[in-house]
Amino acid sequence: MSFSISSDVIDPEVLKRSLAADSAGACVCFEGWVRDHNEGESVIALEYEAHQSIAEQEGQKILLEARQRFALVDARCEHRVGKLAIGDCAVWVGVSAAHRGAAFDACRYIIDETKQRVPIWKKEHYRDGHSGWVNCATNVAESTTRV
Amino acid sequence: MIEVTARYFAAFRERAGRDVESLSTAASTAAELYDELAGRHGFADSMGRCKVAINDELADWSSTLAAGDEVLFFPPVAGG
């Protein structure tokens, strides 16, 4: 099981193969992609920032919790940092298990907890020239000024 | 008063205009230090939606500060 923060392109096929095991009869993967809109705004690019060591520690905790709650064989999560374009894979979660129920449930648990707890921040750049940190009330004056 | 180091991330770093600063503070807990710094830099997020780490470990807002601590302020997260 591993949770990693990476500035490299995510390769889902390579990650998926790492989950293979003779005892696994199911594999569920989730990919989070960069979308061209959010809350009515037209998004042209995203930037992710993380505190790498704390993010990886907290992420590893989430994977361990998933293993305690669900009958998993293996689980893995990788999250990008840096500047991403529309369509890029921002986060990948994959789970293998003997049966599909545990695999679906664990995959959902891992992505939901990751979004809530792991110190990763997302800055959206919008078509009209402004930008903003998602979920944050704190923003620099300049970034909330419409061009 | 104790000497501590504050580190800011993402929205907090941009708002404060710096990623790190050394401070002399009367704050005795992480929460008191956040209140002080939020006032100084204009951080608008409530503490309940933010996180704090002390010396590279996530900590409770009620944690007591010691001289020389490095206190990391994390604005609301948005992974995925």
mmCIF file of all heavy atoms in Angstrom, chain B residues 14-63:
data_model
loop_
_atom_site.group_PDB
_atom_site.id
_atom_site.type_symbol
_atom_site.label_atom_id
_atom_site.label_comp_id
_atom_site.label_asym_id
_atom_site.label_seq_id
_atom_site.Cartn_x
_atom_site.Cartn_y
_atom_site.Cartn_z
ATOM 1 N N GLU B 14 0.193 33.159 -0.021
ATOM 2 C CA GLU B 14 -0.018 34.267 -0.953
ATOM 3 C C GLU B 14 -0.570 35.492 -0.234
ATOM 4 O O GLU B 14 -0.188 36.619 -0.530
ATOM 5 C CB GLU B 14 -0.963 33.832 -2.080
ATOM 6 C CG GLU B 14 -0.266 32.846 -3.016
ATOM 7 C CD GLU B 14 -1.045 32.582 -4.286
ATOM 8 O OE1 GLU B 14 -2.184 33.055 -4.415
ATOM 9 O OE2 GLU B 14 -0.487 31.880 -5.147
ATOM 10 N N ARG B 15 -1.481 35.246 0.700
ATOM 11 C CA ARG B 15 -2.083 36.371 1.425
ATOM 12 C C ARG B 15 -1.046 37.082 2.312
ATOM 13 O O ARG B 15 -1.000 38.309 2.383
ATOM 14 C CB ARG B 15 -3.252 35.848 2.269
ATOM 15 C CG ARG B 15 -3.943 36.873 3.102
ATOM 16 C CD ARG B 15 -4.810 37.779 2.254
ATOM 17 N NE ARG B 15 -4.982 39.066 2.894
ATOM 18 C CZ ARG B 15 -5.951 39.932 2.618
ATOM 19 N NH1 ARG B 15 -6.823 39.654 1.671
ATOM 20 N NH2 ARG B 15 -6.031 41.066 3.248
ATOM 21 N N ALA B 16 -0.203 36.278 2.979
ATOM 22 C CA ALA B 16 0.812 36.863 3.870
ATOM 23 C C ALA B 16 1.976 37.464 3.071
ATOM 24 O O ALA B 16 2.735 38.272 3.600
ATOM 25 C CB ALA B 16 1.329 35.798 4.831
ATOM 26 N N GLY B 17 2.101 37.028 1.813
ATOM 27 C CA GLY B 17 3.192 37.531 0.977
ATOM 28 C C GLY B 17 4.547 36.963 1.361
ATOM 29 O O GLY B 17 5.591 37.532 1.053
ATOM 30 N N ARG B 18 4.548 35.838 2.066
ATOM 31 C CA ARG B 18 5.801 35.196 2.466
ATOM 32 C C ARG B 18 5.488 33.749 2.834
ATOM 33 O O ARG B 18 4.344 33.443 3.197
ATOM 34 C CB ARG B 18 6.433 35.926 3.661
ATOM 35 C CG ARG B 18 5.656 35.747 4.951
ATOM 36 C CD ARG B 18 5.959 36.822 5.966
ATOM 37 N NE ARG B 18 5.336 38.074 5.556
ATOM 38 C CZ ARG B 18 5.515 39.220 6.186
ATOM 39 N NH1 ARG B 18 6.310 39.312 7.211
ATOM 40 N NH2 ARG B 18 4.889 40.305 5.772
ATOM 41 N N ASP B 19 6.496 32.908 2.792
ATOM 42 C CA ASP B 19 6.223 31.516 3.177
ATOM 43 C C ASP B 19 6.664 31.219 4.599
ATOM 44 O O ASP B 19 6.253 30.214 5.177
ATOM 45 C CB ASP B 19 6.804 30.513 2.177
ATOM 46 C CG ASP B 19 8.302 30.633 2.011
ATOM 47 O OD1 ASP B 19 8.911 31.509 2.653
ATOM 48 O OD2 ASP B 19 8.867 29.853 1.232
ATOM 49 N N VAL B 20 7.509 32.083 5.152
ATOM 50 C CA VAL B 20 7.991 31.818 6.511
ATOM 51 C C VAL B 20 8.292 33.137 7.216
ATOM 52 O O VAL B 20 8.653 34.120 6.562
ATOM 53 C CB VAL B 20 9.242 30.896 6.458
ATOM 54 C CG1 VAL B 20 10.374 31.561 5.704
ATOM 55 C CG2 VAL B 20 9.691 30.460 7.846
ATOM 56 N N GLU B 21 8.100 33.155 8.521
ATOM 57 C CA GLU B 21 8.541 34.310 9.296
ATOM 58 C C GLU B 21 8.858 33.896 10.736
ATOM 59 O O GLU B 21 8.292 32.942 11.255
ATOM 60 C CB GLU B 21 7.517 35.457 9.269
ATOM 61 C CG GLU B 21 6.190 35.174 9.907
ATOM 62 C CD GLU B 21 5.227 36.348 9.713
ATOM 63 O OE1 GLU B 21 5.667 37.509 9.652
ATOM 64 O OE2 GLU B 21 4.014 36.102 9.634
ATOM 65 N N SER B 22 9.792 34.614 11.331
ATOM 66 C CA SER B 22 10.135 34.386 12.735
ATOM 67 C C SER B 22 9.382 35.404 13.558
ATOM 68 O O SER B 22 9.285 36.573 13.177
ATOM 69 C CB SER B 22 11.631 34.587 12.943
ATOM 70 O OG SER B 22 12.324 33.614 12.218
ATOM 71 N N LEU B 23 8.818 34.938 14.677
ATOM 72 C CA LEU B 23 7.962 35.804 15.469
ATOM 73 C C LEU B 23 8.297 35.707 16.936
ATOM 74 O O LEU B 23 8.729 34.655 17.413
ATOM 75 C CB LEU B 23 6.504 35.339 15.378
ATOM 76 C CG LEU B 23 5.883 35.145 14.031
ATOM 77 C CD1 LEU B 23 4.761 34.151 14.143
ATOM 78 C CD2 LEU B 23 5.368 36.483 13.548
ATOM 79 N N SER B 24 8.008 36.794 17.622
ATOM 80 C CA SER B 24 8.029 36.766 19.066
ATOM 81 C C SER B 24 6.568 36.918 19.463
ATOM 82 O O SER B 24 5.897 37.865 19.046
ATOM 83 C CB SER B 24 8.865 37.952 19.550
ATOM 84 O OG SER B 24 8.941 37.903 20.936
ATOM 85 N N THR B 25 6.039 35.961 20.202
ATOM 86 C CA THR B 25 4.598 35.973 20.465
ATOM 87 C C THR B 25 4.273 35.693 21.926
ATOM 88 O O THR B 25 5.004 34.974 22.610
ATOM 89 C CB THR B 25 3.878 34.931 19.575
ATOM 90 O OG1 THR B 25 2.471 34.999 19.838
ATOM 91 C CG2 THR B 25 4.356 33.510 19.845
ATOM 92 N N ALA B 26 3.120 36.225 22.349
ATOM 93 C CA ALA B 26 2.602 35.928 23.685
ATOM 94 C C ALA B 26 1.623 34.762 23.616
ATOM 95 O O ALA B 26 1.112 34.310 24.635
ATOM 96 C CB ALA B 26 1.909 37.155 24.258
ATOM 97 N N ALA B 27 1.339 34.273 22.402
ATOM 98 C CA ALA B 27 0.394 33.160 22.244
ATOM 99 C C ALA B 27 0.945 31.925 22.943
ATOM 100 O O ALA B 27 2.131 31.621 22.832
ATOM 101 C CB ALA B 27 0.171 32.867 20.761
ATOM 102 N N SER B 28 0.068 31.209 23.661
ATOM 103 C CA SER B 28 0.555 30.001 24.331
ATOM 104 C C SER B 28 0.099 28.738 23.612
ATOM 105 O O SER B 28 0.630 27.665 23.844
ATOM 106 C CB SER B 28 0.119 29.977 25.792
ATOM 107 O OG SER B 28 -1.288 29.977 25.870
ATOM 108 N N THR B 29 -0.893 28.865 22.725
ATOM 109 C CA THR B 29 -1.346 27.691 21.971
ATOM 110 C C THR B 29 -1.333 28.011 20.471
ATOM 111 O O THR B 29 -1.267 29.181 20.068
ATOM 112 C CB THR B 29 -2.798 27.312 22.336
ATOM 113 O OG1 THR B 29 -3.659 28.411 21.969
ATOM 114 C CG2 THR B 29 -2.953 27.020 23.826
ATOM 115 N N ALA B 30 -1.451 26.948 19.665
ATOM 116 C CA ALA B 30 -1.508 27.127 18.214
ATOM 117 C C ALA B 30 -2.709 27.985 17.836
ATOM 118 O O ALA B 30 -2.628 28.827 16.937
ATOM 119 C CB ALA B 30 -1.577 25.757 17.540
ATOM 120 N N ALA B 31 -3.827 27.772 18.549
ATOM 121 C CA ALA B 31 -5.038 28.546 18.261
ATOM 122 C C ALA B 31 -4.815 30.043 18.506
ATOM 123 O O ALA B 31 -5.204 30.885 17.693
ATOM 124 C CB ALA B 31 -6.194 28.040 19.114
ATOM 125 N N GLU B 32 -4.178 30.369 19.612
ATOM 126 C CA GLU B 32 -3.927 31.786 19.905
ATOM 127 C C GLU B 32 -2.996 32.407 18.864
ATOM 128 O O GLU B 32 -3.156 33.558 18.469
ATOM 129 C CB GLU B 32 -3.313 31.940 21.305
ATOM 130 C CG GLU B 32 -4.319 31.685 22.427
ATOM 131 C CD GLU B 32 -3.676 31.695 23.814
ATOM 132 O OE1 GLU B 32 -2.574 32.279 23.978
ATOM 133 O OE2 GLU B 32 -4.273 31.094 24.716
ATOM 134 N N LEU B 33 -2.033 31.607 18.420
ATOM 135 C CA LEU B 33 -1.119 32.128 17.399
ATOM 136 C C LEU B 33 -1.856 32.340 16.074
ATOM 137 O O LEU B 33 -1.629 33.331 15.386
ATOM 138 C CB LEU B 33 0.075 31.174 17.216
ATOM 139 C CG LEU B 33 1.157 31.657 16.249
ATOM 140 C CD1 LEU B 33 1.762 32.997 16.692
ATOM 141 C CD2 LEU B 33 2.275 30.615 16.102
ATOM 142 N N TYR B 34 -2.766 31.412 15.739
ATOM 143 C CA TYR B 34 -3.536 31.598 14.501
ATOM 144 C C TYR B 34 -4.349 32.885 14.574
ATOM 145 O O TYR B 34 -4.370 33.664 13.624
ATOM 146 C CB TYR B 34 -4.455 30.404 14.214
ATOM 147 C CG TYR B 34 -5.255 30.593 12.935
ATOM 148 C CD1 TYR B 34 -4.647 30.413 11.693
ATOM 149 C CD2 TYR B 34 -6.587 31.005 12.955
ATOM 150 C CE1 TYR B 34 -5.352 30.623 10.508
ATOM 151 C CE2 TYR B 34 -7.306 31.218 11.786
ATOM 152 C CZ TYR B 34 -6.684 31.022 10.566
ATOM 153 O OH TYR B 34 -7.380 31.246 9.395
ATOM 154 N N ASP B 35 -5.012 33.100 15.717
ATOM 155 C CA ASP B 35 -5.817 34.320 15.865
ATOM 156 C C ASP B 35 -4.966 35.571 15.660
ATOM 157 O O ASP B 35 -5.359 36.513 14.981
ATOM 158 C CB ASP B 35 -6.461 34.366 17.259
ATOM 159 C CG ASP B 35 -7.705 33.480 17.337
ATOM 160 O OD1 ASP B 35 -8.278 33.160 16.281
ATOM 161 O OD2 ASP B 35 -8.077 33.102 18.471
ATOM 162 N N GLU B 36 -3.791 35.547 16.263
ATOM 163 C CA GLU B 36 -2.886 36.699 16.138
ATOM 164 C C GLU B 36 -2.490 36.921 14.674
ATOM 165 O O GLU B 36 -2.560 38.031 14.158
ATOM 166 C CB GLU B 36 -1.637 36.438 17.003
ATOM 167 C CG GLU B 36 -0.601 37.542 16.944
ATOM 168 C CD GLU B 36 0.675 37.180 17.736
ATOM 169 O OE1 GLU B 36 0.561 36.478 18.766
ATOM 170 O OE2 GLU B 36 1.762 37.602 17.301
ATOM 171 N N LEU B 37 -2.094 35.827 14.000
ATOM 172 C CA LEU B 37 -1.600 35.953 12.629
ATOM 173 C C LEU B 37 -2.725 36.199 11.626
ATOM 174 O O LEU B 37 -2.536 36.892 10.627
ATOM 175 C CB LEU B 37 -0.801 34.705 12.251
ATOM 176 C CG LEU B 37 0.475 34.548 13.089
ATOM 177 C CD1 LEU B 37 1.113 33.184 12.828
ATOM 178 C CD2 LEU B 37 1.458 35.671 12.795
ATOM 179 N N ALA B 38 -3.896 35.627 11.898
ATOM 180 C CA ALA B 38 -5.042 35.844 11.006
ATOM 181 C C ALA B 38 -5.388 37.326 11.003
ATOM 182 O O ALA B 38 -5.677 37.909 9.955
ATOM 183 C CB ALA B 38 -6.226 35.006 11.451
ATOM 184 N N GLY B 39 -5.320 37.945 12.192
ATOM 185 C CA GLY B 39 -5.589 39.372 12.289
ATOM 186 C C GLY B 39 -4.547 40.189 11.544
ATOM 187 O O GLY B 39 -4.872 41.130 10.826
ATOM 188 N N ARG B 40 -3.292 39.789 11.692
ATOM 189 C CA ARG B 40 -2.206 40.561 11.081
ATOM 190 C C ARG B 40 -2.201 40.443 9.553
ATOM 191 O O ARG B 40 -1.965 41.408 8.850
ATOM 192 C CB ARG B 40 -0.863 40.073 11.631
ATOM 193 C CG ARG B 40 0.306 40.909 11.137
ATOM 194 C CD ARG B 40 1.627 40.420 11.683
ATOM 195 N NE ARG B 40 1.582 40.228 13.114
ATOM 196 C CZ ARG B 40 2.514 39.546 13.790
ATOM 197 N NH1 ARG B 40 3.547 39.002 13.163
ATOM 198 N NH2 ARG B 40 2.428 39.416 15.089
ATOM 199 N N HIS B 41 -2.467 39.219 9.050
ATOM 200 C CA HIS B 41 -2.338 38.996 7.610
ATOM 201 C C HIS B 41 -3.663 38.967 6.853
ATOM 202 O O HIS B 41 -3.669 38.915 5.628
ATOM 203 C CB HIS B 41 -1.612 37.673 7.358
ATOM 204 C CG HIS B 41 -0.178 37.679 7.816
ATOM 205 N ND1 HIS B 41 0.729 38.611 7.376
ATOM 206 C CD2 HIS B 41 0.494 36.870 8.671
ATOM 207 C CE1 HIS B 41 1.919 38.372 7.938
ATOM 208 N NE2 HIS B 41 1.806 37.329 8.734
ATOM 209 N N GLY B 42 -4.784 38.952 7.591
ATOM 210 C CA GLY B 42 -6.075 38.921 6.902
ATOM 211 C C GLY B 42 -6.492 37.531 6.455
ATOM 212 O O GLY B 42 -7.164 37.388 5.429
ATOM 213 N N PHE B 43 -6.129 36.507 7.228
ATOM 214 C CA PHE B 43 -6.614 35.162 6.903
ATOM 215 C C PHE B 43 -8.099 35.115 7.251
ATOM 216 O O PHE B 43 -8.477 35.427 8.391
ATOM 217 C CB PHE B 43 -5.874 34.088 7.709
ATOM 218 C CG PHE B 43 -4.377 34.051 7.483
ATOM 219 C CD1 PHE B 43 -3.536 33.496 8.445
ATOM 220 C CD2 PHE B 43 -3.809 34.544 6.313
ATOM 221 C CE1 PHE B 43 -2.159 33.450 8.237
ATOM 222 C CE2 PHE B 43 -2.431 34.509 6.108
ATOM 223 C CZ PHE B 43 -1.598 33.961 7.075
ATOM 224 N N ALA B 44 -8.916 34.696 6.292
ATOM 225 C CA ALA B 44 -10.370 34.777 6.484
ATOM 226 C C ALA B 44 -11.017 33.433 6.798
ATOM 227 O O ALA B 44 -12.223 33.357 6.985
ATOM 228 C CB ALA B 44 -10.993 35.385 5.233
ATOM 229 N N ASP B 45 -10.222 32.356 6.828
ATOM 230 C CA ASP B 45 -10.807 31.035 7.064
ATOM 231 C C ASP B 45 -10.896 30.727 8.559
ATOM 232 O O ASP B 45 -9.949 30.982 9.306
ATOM 233 C CB ASP B 45 -9.973 29.962 6.355
ATOM 234 C CG ASP B 45 -10.124 30.068 4.852
ATOM 235 O OD1 ASP B 45 -11.160 29.620 4.349
ATOM 236 O OD2 ASP B 45 -9.228 30.640 4.191
ATOM 237 N N SER B 46 -12.041 30.162 8.973
ATOM 238 C CA SER B 46 -12.191 29.813 10.388
ATOM 239 C C SER B 46 -11.252 28.651 10.711
ATOM 240 O O SER B 46 -10.975 27.802 9.869
ATOM 241 C CB SER B 46 -13.633 29.431 10.691
ATOM 242 O OG SER B 46 -13.945 28.226 10.051
ATOM 243 N N MET B 47 -10.805 28.654 11.949
ATOM 244 C CA MET B 47 -9.836 27.655 12.405
ATOM 245 C C MET B 47 -10.343 26.231 12.185
ATOM 246 O O MET B 47 -9.589 25.335 11.848
ATOM 247 C CB MET B 47 -9.599 27.887 13.889
ATOM 248 C CG MET B 47 -8.206 27.629 14.346
ATOM 249 S SD MET B 47 -8.102 27.985 16.094
ATOM 250 C CE MET B 47 -8.292 29.747 16.161
ATOM 251 N N GLY B 48 -11.647 26.062 12.371
ATOM 252 C CA GLY B 48 -12.231 24.725 12.243
ATOM 253 C C GLY B 48 -12.062 24.120 10.863
ATOM 254 O O GLY B 48 -12.106 22.903 10.701
ATOM 255 N N ARG B 49 -11.865 24.954 9.851
ATOM 256 C CA ARG B 49 -11.707 24.447 8.488
ATOM 257 C C ARG B 49 -10.235 24.347 8.104
ATOM 258 O O ARG B 49 -9.900 23.874 7.025
ATOM 259 C CB ARG B 49 -12.462 25.357 7.502
ATOM 260 C CG ARG B 49 -13.954 25.486 7.840
ATOM 261 C CD ARG B 49 -14.741 26.135 6.712
ATOM 262 N NE ARG B 49 -14.751 25.269 5.544
ATOM 263 C CZ ARG B 49 -14.272 25.590 4.358
ATOM 264 N NH1 ARG B 49 -13.743 26.779 4.169
ATOM 265 N NH2 ARG B 49 -14.314 24.746 3.367
ATOM 266 N N CYS B 50 -9.359 24.800 8.978
ATOM 267 C CA CYS B 50 -7.923 24.789 8.686
ATOM 268 C C CYS B 50 -7.234 23.731 9.547
ATOM 269 O O CYS B 50 -7.847 23.163 10.436
ATOM 270 C CB CYS B 50 -7.325 26.156 8.989
ATOM 271 S SG CYS B 50 -8.106 27.493 8.064
ATOM 272 N N LYS B 51 -5.965 23.497 9.253
ATOM 273 C CA LYS B 51 -5.190 22.563 10.083
ATOM 274 C C LYS B 51 -3.883 23.223 10.479
ATOM 275 O O LYS B 51 -3.409 24.159 9.829
ATOM 276 C CB LYS B 51 -4.880 21.282 9.312
ATOM 277 C CG LYS B 51 -6.095 20.394 9.092
ATOM 278 C CD LYS B 51 -5.674 19.111 8.406
ATOM 279 C CE LYS B 51 -6.833 18.347 7.819
ATOM 280 N NZ LYS B 51 -7.868 18.002 8.783
ATOM 281 N N VAL B 52 -3.312 22.676 11.552
ATOM 282 C CA VAL B 52 -2.024 23.175 12.008
ATOM 283 C C VAL B 52 -1.090 21.997 12.233
ATOM 284 O O VAL B 52 -1.535 20.900 12.605
ATOM 285 C CB VAL B 52 -2.193 24.023 13.293
ATOM 286 C CG1 VAL B 52 -2.679 23.175 14.469
ATOM 287 C CG2 VAL B 52 -0.912 24.754 13.643
ATOM 288 N N ALA B 53 0.172 22.205 11.938
ATOM 289 C CA ALA B 53 1.193 21.195 12.233
ATOM 290 C C ALA B 53 2.285 21.880 13.029
ATOM 291 O O ALA B 53 2.569 23.065 12.827
ATOM 292 C CB ALA B 53 1.756 20.612 10.942
ATOM 293 N N ILE B 54 2.851 21.136 13.970
ATOM 294 C CA ILE B 54 3.961 21.672 14.753
ATOM 295 C C ILE B 54 5.162 20.766 14.535
ATOM 296 O O ILE B 54 5.058 19.539 14.724
ATOM 297 C CB ILE B 54 3.587 21.777 16.253
ATOM 298 C CG1 ILE B 54 2.358 22.701 16.414
ATOM 299 C CG2 ILE B 54 4.770 22.314 17.065
ATOM 300 C CD1 ILE B 54 1.836 22.809 17.831
ATOM 301 N N ASN B 55 6.244 21.363 14.090
ATOM 302 C CA ASN B 55 7.470 20.604 13.801
ATOM 303 C C ASN B 55 7.192 19.398 12.893
ATOM 304 O O ASN B 55 7.608 18.271 13.150
ATOM 305 C CB ASN B 55 8.152 20.171 15.096
ATOM 306 C CG ASN B 55 8.456 21.367 15.981
ATOM 307 O OD1 ASN B 55 8.762 22.449 15.472
ATOM 308 N ND2 ASN B 55 8.352 21.211 17.284
ATOM 309 N N ASP B 56 6.423 19.668 11.823
ATOM 310 C CA ASP B 56 6.150 18.674 10.784
ATOM 311 C C ASP B 56 5.244 17.518 11.192
ATOM 312 O O ASP B 56 5.206 16.488 10.515
ATOM 313 C CB ASP B 56 7.446 18.139 10.159
ATOM 314 C CG ASP B 56 7.951 19.045 9.038
ATOM 315 O OD1 ASP B 56 7.224 20.000 8.678
ATOM 316 O OD2 ASP B 56 9.051 18.803 8.520
ATOM 317 N N GLU B 57 4.474 17.693 12.282
ATOM 318 C CA GLU B 57 3.452 16.702 12.655
ATOM 319 C C GLU B 57 2.121 17.445 12.809
ATOM 320 O O GLU B 57 2.079 18.488 13.467
ATOM 321 C CB GLU B 57 3.767 16.052 14.015
ATOM 322 C CG GLU B 57 5.034 15.237 14.070
ATOM 323 C CD GLU B 57 4.850 13.821 13.543
ATOM 324 O OE1 GLU B 57 3.686 13.405 13.301
ATOM 325 O OE2 GLU B 57 5.875 13.143 13.367
ATOM 326 N N LEU B 58 1.037 16.895 12.251
ATOM 327 C CA LEU B 58 -0.275 17.505 12.467
ATOM 328 C C LEU B 58 -0.541 17.596 13.965
ATOM 329 O O LEU B 58 -0.185 16.686 14.720
ATOM 330 C CB LEU B 58 -1.367 16.683 11.791
ATOM 331 C CG LEU B 58 -1.448 16.789 10.266
ATOM 332 C CD1 LEU B 58 -2.486 15.819 9.720
ATOM 333 C CD2 LEU B 58 -1.740 18.207 9.803
ATOM 334 N N ALA B 59 -1.163 18.683 14.391
ATOM 335 C CA ALA B 59 -1.365 18.914 15.824
ATOM 336 C C ALA B 59 -2.769 19.457 16.056
ATOM 337 O O ALA B 59 -3.448 19.877 15.122
ATOM 338 C CB ALA B 59 -0.327 19.911 16.333
ATOM 339 N N ASP B 60 -3.196 19.429 17.309
ATOM 340 C CA ASP B 60 -4.484 20.040 17.678
ATOM 341 C C ASP B 60 -4.269 21.545 17.859
ATOM 342 O O ASP B 60 -3.193 21.978 18.276
ATOM 343 C CB ASP B 60 -4.985 19.460 19.012
ATOM 344 C CG ASP B 60 -5.354 17.997 18.874
ATOM 345 O OD1 ASP B 60 -5.802 17.592 17.783
ATOM 346 O OD2 ASP B 60 -5.145 17.254 19.853
ATOM 347 N N TRP B 61 -5.356 22.287 17.605
ATOM 348 C CA TRP B 61 -5.261 23.741 17.798
ATOM 349 C C TRP B 61 -4.971 24.091 19.263
ATOM 350 O O TRP B 61 -4.434 25.150 19.560
ATOM 351 C CB TRP B 61 -6.547 24.415 17.337
ATOM 352 C CG TRP B 61 -6.659 24.499 15.843
ATOM 353 C CD1 TRP B 61 -7.523 23.808 15.047
ATOM 354 C CD2 TRP B 61 -5.874 25.317 14.960
ATOM 355 N NE1 TRP B 61 -7.311 24.150 13.728
ATOM 356 C CE2 TRP B 61 -6.323 25.071 13.645
ATOM 357 C CE3 TRP B 61 -4.834 26.242 15.162
ATOM 358 C CZ2 TRP B 61 -5.767 25.710 12.541
ATOM 359 C CZ3 TRP B 61 -4.289 26.876 14.050
ATOM 360 C CH2 TRP B 61 -4.749 26.609 12.766
ATOM 361 N N SER B 62 -5.344 23.179 20.175
ATOM 362 C CA SER B 62 -5.128 23.462 21.599
ATOM 363 C C SER B 62 -3.690 23.155 22.049
ATOM 364 O O SER B 62 -3.348 23.384 23.216
ATOM 365 C CB SER B 62 -6.110 22.647 22.444
ATOM 366 O OG SER B 62 -5.930 21.274 22.182
ATOM 367 N N SER B 63 -2.861 22.654 21.136
ATOM 368 C CA SER B 63 -1.479 22.309 21.501
ATOM 369 C C SER B 63 -0.732 23.521 22.045
ATOM 370 O O SER B 63 -0.837 24.636 21.517
ATOM 371 C CB SER B 63 -0.705 21.802 20.278
ATOM 372 O OG SER B 63 -1.336 20.669 19.743
#
